[in-house]
Amino acid sequence: MLLGYQARQSNGVNDKIYHRIVAMDDGKTQFFIISTDICLVSPSQYDKLAARLKSQYKIDPMNLWWTATHTHSAPEVGPAGLPAVFLGDRYRHDFDAKYTDLVEQKLIDGIVTARKNLAPARLGVGWGHANANINRRARDENGKTTLGMNPDGPVDRRIGMLRLEKENGSLLALIANYAIHGTVMSGENLKISGDAPGVVSEYVEQKTGVPLLFINGAAGDIAPIYSVYPSPRAGHLDHFKVLLGDKILDANKSITATTNEVTLKTGGTIVETPRKDGLKWPEDLGNYTRTTKTGVNLVRLPIRFLKINQDVAIWSAPLELFCEISNEIRDHSPFPYTFYFGYTNGWLGYLLTEEELKYGGYEPTVSPYAPGAAKTLTEAVVNYIQGEMRSNYNNARKVE
């Protein structure tokens, strides 16, 4: 069963889907980032994986980030989680436990291999730019909003790049962070595919000979410029090799400075914000909600942070975030490279700005949050980046 759009069963494979894994170790902190060609997973599925890795391999869950590329043409993995609350009719079938176990075991095998293959490396960081995406909150003359194209709407076309080199300067791996829905193909497509993120990753890998981890960004209101077509050919899927793949290659070439002196610092915080009145909550997500003494039901959002040296701040959340929120956070960050890794460690719905809520449309119907959530999240993340992360940054400079 493919996840994304209506319930439907695949009838073949258009392109292969992967776990891509990078392990980094600075001598004190060992960190893992996984990019998987799936639509999303429930936070409870991440918790299950993290508990197993902690028990068997002593991996700190704080240092384990599992991201989904958000392709809408890959099989379901694990229980439905929060989507079943909004789209109950879609989830009348049981999830495929056998396939889920396969995905989990292959992920663990990959982490073990990555850890085993740790070798001295250098790291570089940079920016790129691609016009492969567009705001999808289309408006009519009355302000009614539907899924479509809005060329005048907010967008984020930056590519955040991390380059990993071997000691001799040859390429080891690339990480590219870009906001784009994995919806080149529509629900009419029944072929398994990584959609644009997957096709772009394979293209860059063919050109460079090393893995590319595609990490989706704040794509809640961002579509590919060709979107919801019935087949790869109709959707110009291969054109994204040029539209985005070549731009990633250009961004990689622009990174001319790398260092073998790397410090990794991880952290996290819980952001609590009221959820919609009357909204049911899945049993498997009990750790992600709380009821106050006054009877207010809260969503508990786990936000993770990674600081690399003195100039890179990465934050992640299990959210389908609107891009204007991550753009504002980046604008208020003291770090020259601030990246948002979306769809990380699960999915707890769309989180959109209060301004966009009044226009309605699809996204508010699959958001569990009451108005004001964007402001709460933005303030919490900016405060953490400007406060705790920057404090560590200043202390590190004093030590040097």
Side-chain angles (χ1 to χ4, degrees):
M1 298 297 293
L2 301 178
L3 182 55
Y5 311 115
Q6 76 281 5
R8 66 204 201 281
Q9 191 164 13
S10 64
N11 62 9
V13 176
N14 181 72
D15 51 276
K16 294 180 180 180
I17 57 176
Y18 296 88
H19 293 301
R20 293 174 169 93
I21 302 166
V22 162
M24 294 187 284
D25 191 329
D26 67 355
K28 293 183 179 180
T29 299
Q30 193 169 90
F31 181 84
F32 299 88
I33 176 72
I34 305 106
S35 173
T36 301
D37 291 320
I38 53 176
C39 187
L40 52 85
V41 294
S42 173
S44 64
Q45 186 65 37
Y46 165 78
D47 290 339
K48 177 175 174 285
L49 171 74
R52 183 175 170 188
L53 286 167
K54 183 178 181 181
S55 173
Q56 295 181 3
Y57 300 101
K58 311 303 180 187
I59 293 174
D60 184 349
M62 189 64 69
N63 303 337
L64 177 72
W65 292 15
W66 184 15
T67 73
T69 63
H70 202 51
T71 170
H72 282 41
S73 296
E76 299 173 344
V77 174
L82 192 59
V85 173
F86 305 113
L87 306 167
D89 289 344
R90 192 211 177 281
Y91 293 96
R92 290 180 177 175
H93 60 277
D94 294 329
F95 75 90
D96 189 331
K98 184 176 180 180
Y99 181 75
T100 298
D101 290 345
L102 172 71
V103 170
E104 180 178 294
Q105 187 58 54
K106 282 183 173 288
L107 196 159
I108 291 172
D109 292 345
I111 286 176
V112 171
T113 300
R115 180 188 247 180
K116 189 181 300 182
N117 292 340
L118 281 166
R122 304 178 63 87
L123 185 141
V125 60
W127 290 110
H129 181 92
N131 294 320
N133 60 10
I134 191 169
N135 189 288
R136 68 178 195 167
R137 299 267 293 165
R139 304 256 206 268
D140 67 12
E141 70 275 15
N142 300 313
K144 182 181 179 182
T145 298
T146 55
L147 295 179
M149 292 192 294
N150 182 0
D152 299 320
V155 71
D156 183 4
R157 294 195 166 115
R158 287 197 186 188
I159 305 169
M161 291 292 301
L162 292 174
R163 173 187 171 94
L164 297 170
E165 296 179 350
K166 299 178 182 178
E167 280 189 299
N168 63 8
S170 62
L171 201 54
L172 182 62
L174 293 173
I175 298 175
N177 177 213
Y178 186 75
I180 187 170
H181 250 78
T183 53
V184 172
M185 272 102 72
S186 69
E188 293 182 58
N189 170 65
L190 300 179
K191 296 286 190 289
I192 290 173
S193 172
D195 206 272
V199 167
V200 166
S201 296
E202 284 205 83
Y203 172 73
V204 173
E205 289 168 350
Q206 290 167 3
K207 294 290 185 179
T208 62
V210 303
L212 167 72
L213 274 69
F214 185 97
I215 311 293
N216 219 321
D221 51 352
I222 302 295
I225 59 171
Y226 298 111
S227 195
V228 292
Y229 285 83
S231 68
R233 182 181 177 85
H236 306 275
L237 183 61
D238 280 348
H239 289 192
F240 285 88
K241 296 175 181 179
V242 174
L243 292 165
L244 183 52
D246 280 347
K247 305 305 184 293
I248 291 172
L249 292 169
D250 290 343
N252 172 52
K253 291 176 183 176
S254 72
I255 300 173
T256 57
T258 61
T259 179
N260 61 359
E261 297 182 5
V262 177
T263 300
L264 307 172
K265 290 188 179 295
T266 59
T269 189
I270 300 292
V271 176
E272 294 189 326
T273 187
R275 73 181 198 232
K276 287 178 181 175
D277 291 338
L279 184 75
K280 295 180 180 179
W281 198 254
E283 292 184 5
D284 65 312
L285 297 181
N287 292 334
Y288 297 89
T289 189
R290 181 175 72 87
T291 302
T292 68
K293 292 180 180 179
T294 57
V296 177
N297 292 318
L298 302 174
V299 181
R300 305 184 75 242
L301 274 172
I303 312 299
R304 301 280 177 85
F305 299 88
L306 170 67
K307 186 177 71 172
I308 305 177
N309 291 350
Q310 300 173 0
D311 52 1
V312 181
I314 305 174
W315 68 285
S316 69
L319 287 171
E320 195 140 3
L321 194 68
F322 271 35
C323 71
E324 48 266 54
I325 299 171
S326 66
N327 287 350
E328 181 179 354
I329 289 170
R330 185 172 63 207
D331 290 344
H332 286 86
S333 172
F335 295 85
Y337 300 98
T338 302
F339 305 152
Y340 168 67
F341 286 10
Y343 309 96
T344 300
N345 299 344
W347 188 85
L348 289 174
Y350 281 83
L351 198 153
L352 55 160
T353 61
E354 194 162 354
E355 170 70 16
E356 282 296 317
L357 280 172
K358 67 184 182 184
Y359 291 107
Y362 167 70
E363 295 90 351
T365 68
V366 285
S367 172
Y369 305 101
K375 185 174 185 292
T376 300
L377 175 70
T378 300
E379 290 178 349
V381 174
V382 168
N383 287 340
Y384 193 98
I385 291 175
Q386 291 183 347
E388 187 161 342
M389 290 185 84
R390 194 175 189 185
S391 174
N392 290 338
Y393 161 77
N394 289 333
N395 289 339
R397 293 193 69 178
K398 290 176 182 177
V399 169
E400 288 180 354

